[in-house]
Every structure is written in structure tokens, then in C-alpha cells.
Amino acid sequence: MLLAVVLLSFLALPLVTRIIGGLVRREWEQIVEQRHPSAVAVPIERVAADLRRLRARLEARENQPGLAGKGMKMGALRVAYLQVLDVACAQLDIRPAQKLGRPEPPLAEIYRVEAELRARGLDVRTIRPSYPHQDAA
């Protein structure tokens, strides 16, 4: 019985070590980020424009069928969008999208963050046209 427990603990040791190492590394990165926040503050107008542009590109690429390399480009756009979304959250004191043990946050978390940003006056879904509006006479 004791031999079985010892053997199982030796088999589980690499997994436990990897998990603890990941947790320690994540905590260390958070401590470093808190001590040395990014020095350059991007204006919220620029962050909003980037969010809108990335969201529009993400939706456009998502709706185009059969593009070469679509998955890889979609992944890159998602990562960029999530990074800018985190910057907006930090600037407006909103809790960023939680990953909940996944590589990327679930859509429900992204929608929650977008709704909170909208409540603070930053709507990521509206694209402002680059041309002036022409009023109908």
C-alpha cells in the first residue's frame, strides 16, 4: 500500500511541479507589472479607435468564406483585440475579461467587458465613418 502511494506521488511529481511553476511565474509577472506599469499612456480616444477598427476587421474576416490562412489571421486579430481591450479596461477601471482557465476568455466575458465599456461611454461596435454626413434636404 505504501509502495503504491510512493510510486503514484513520483509519477505525479512532474505535473505538480509544472503547475506550481506556472502559478509562481504568473504571480511574478503580475508583481513586476504592478511595480513597473507601462510608462506611456495611450489616449482613450486612440484606444477606442483601435478597438473599433480591430472589431470591424475581426467581424469582416469572420464573415468571409474560404480565405487562405483564415484561422491564423483570426487568432492574431483576436489577440490584438483582447490586448487593446485590456488597455481600455485599465484606463476606465473595469475588470478585464477573465480567461477562466482557458487560453482565451470566453465570449460571454468579452461581451461583459464591452457592455461595461459601453456604459462608460466607449462603444466598440460603432464605426464612425471617415467622411462627413450629408443631411438629406
Side-chain angles (χ1 to χ4, degrees), residues 3-25:
L3 181 60
V5 171
V6 170
L7 285 176
L8 285 175
S9 62
F10 277 132
L11 289 174
L13 188 62
L15 176 65
V16 171
T17 305
R18 219 174 308 134
I19 291 171
I20 291 174
L23 292 172
V24 168
R25 183 177 53 244

Side-chain angles (χ1 to χ4, degrees), residues 47-48 50-59 62 77-78 80-86 88-89 92 94-98 105-127:
V47 173
D50 287 345
L51 278 173
R52 290 182 189 110
R53 179 181 48 81
L54 288 168
R55 180 122 174 77
R57 287 181 62 192
L58 197 58
E59 286 179 2
E62 198 171 52
L77 277 172
R78 272 192 210 103
Y81 180 73
L82 291 172
Q83 288 175 346
V84 177
L85 199 64
D86 286 345
C89 288
L92 295 177
I94 295 174
R95 184 172 51 99
Q98 303 298 307
L107 285 177
E109 273 294 297
I110 295 171
Y111 294 154
R112 176 195 57 81
V113 170
E114 288 175 351
E116 288 185 27
L117 288 173
R118 196 173 327 106
R120 302 266 177 112
L122 194 157
D123 191 1
V124 300
R125 293 180 182 255
T126 54
I127 299 280

Side-chain angles (χ1 to χ4, degrees), residues 19-37:
I19 291 171
I20 291 174
L23 292 172
V24 168
R25 183 177 53 244
R26 191 174 327 143
E27 289 297 319
W28 179 262
E29 289 170 355
Q30 286 178 355
I31 290 170
V32 168
E33 180 62 30
Q34 288 173 355
R35 287 187 179 178
H36 304 288

